[in-house]
Amino acid sequence: MTDVGILALRALAGGSLVALFALVSEVVKPKAFSGLFSAAPSVAIAGLAITVVHEGAAEARQGSVGMVVGAIGLAGCCVIAVGAIPRLKAFWGSLAAMAGWSAIALGLYWSEFIGGR
Amino acid sequence: MAAERRRSTQARDVVPSVHLGDIRGVHVRELATRFALGAFVSIVAAIISGAVGARLGGVFLAAPAILPASLTIVEHKEGTRKADRDAIGAVVGSLALVVFATVGESMFTRHNPALVLAAALGGWIAAGLAFYAILGLFRPDDCDKQQD
């Protein structure tokens, strides 16, 4: 399969799993529990599965290593969103949270894997 | 004041439940938006992985690209309060995502990859339920269906 084909497959698989988990979040209550599925490993499952088949388990492991950092950043991002949404509303609050993710995740990545080495 | 006093003595309803009929309220455009964002994040993670390495690409497997759309949709349909509570749940889910990634990190290259992904997903589910239970214990008002 060509590189474009692999990318298309990743897009299809990732998008489908995100939509599936979104459907699950719509049918569960309370709202705090349904929010759990906003942070479901949908893109990760699709991405890692295709990585394993196309590039091997070692690459998937490296992806998981990076994902630990990204997930820590995501937790921080969601904490920011909880505080920002009542003040800034959902759209601007979540954009502020995304900026927080960038700072936390990429800052952690830099300090762990690049800085001082 | 009277409502607060009533709430403090009433049992909160924090146990998760499934309401399949609520699927009827889901618009195709909302699903399509989430599909498109999921596809976009997948492509970005793959391109970064190919250009710079799988480890940095992996960071973007946990990027919050879907979060603005999800919270905006919830706010539009159900109000700011529910969007905020949705974000509280996302904190729980993202902590469980750390467990998912840790399982993958420790098990890929040592076990069958399909088994690893299943174990990682199981870890996310188990951790998510455990963290939600802790949230329900210490912040029951945030999980109370009656206050949704």
Side-chain angles (χ1 to χ4, degrees):
Chain A
M1 195 181 279
T2 64
D3 287 346
V4 172
I6 297 288
L7 264 185
L9 190 61
R10 287 181 187 275
L12 181 65
S16 299
L17 283 177
V18 167
L20 179 65
F21 277 106
L23 272 177
V24 173
S25 79
E26 291 283 347
V27 300
V28 297
K29 285 180 165 60
K31 212 65 201 168
F33 186 72
S34 84
L36 222 141
F37 297 93
S38 299
S42 33
V43 171
I45 290 171
L48 291 172
I50 293 171
T51 296
V52 161
V53 172
H54 190 238
E55 298 167 54
E59 289 290 286
R61 184 184 172 273
Q62 285 300 309
S64 298
V65 170
M67 196 183 160
V68 172
V69 172
I72 292 171
L74 185 62
C77 156
C78 294
V79 169
I80 292 170
V82 170
I85 285 169
R87 293 166 178 77
L88 304 175
K89 299 295 181 192
F91 182 74
W92 293 109
S94 49
L95 283 187
M98 282 180 74
W101 177 84
S102 301
I104 296 168
L106 299 179
L108 265 177
Y109 185 89
W110 178 271
S111 70
E112 187 63 27
F113 301 116
I114 300 175
R117 286 173 191 249
Chain B
M1 178 84 98
E4 295 247 351
R5 222 179 296 123
R6 269 199 303 276
R7 264 203 298 274
S8 69
T9 55
Q10 267 177 348
R12 278 105 164 166
D13 187 3
V14 303
V15 176
S17 55
V18 180
H19 304 258
L20 290 175
D22 288 353
I23 265 190
R24 284 193 288 268
V26 179
H27 299 296
V28 172
R29 194 168 58 185
E30 293 166 10
L31 274 185
T33 300
R34 283 157 161 157
F35 175 90
L37 287 169
F40 174 72
V41 171
S42 298
I43 290 172
V44 167
I47 289 173
I48 290 173
S49 185
V52 186
R55 198 161 53 192
L56 185 58
V59 175
F60 287 84
L61 291 177
I66 296 128
L67 196 69
S70 292
L71 294 177
T72 305
I73 288 168
V74 170
E75 184 182 61
H76 178 71
K77 285 170 67 173
E78 302 175 75
T80 303
R81 178 180 166 80
K82 283 201 176 177
D84 200 44
R85 290 160 84 84
D86 200 72
I88 290 171
V91 174
V92 172
S94 56
L95 291 173
L97 202 61
V98 176
V99 173
F100 175 97
T102 304
V103 170
E105 180 189 1
S106 61
M107 289 180 67
F108 274 126
T109 72
R110 292 185 197 179
H111 299 281
N112 178 290
L115 182 69
V116 174
L117 282 173
L121 179 60
W124 179 80
I125 292 169
L129 289 174
F131 295 152
Y132 176 78
I134 293 170
L135 179 71
L137 199 61
F138 288 100
R139 294 180 66 97
D141 282 345
D142 288 335
C143 305
D144 187 10
K145 285 177 210 167
Q146 294 161 96
Q147 296 183 51
D148 256 356

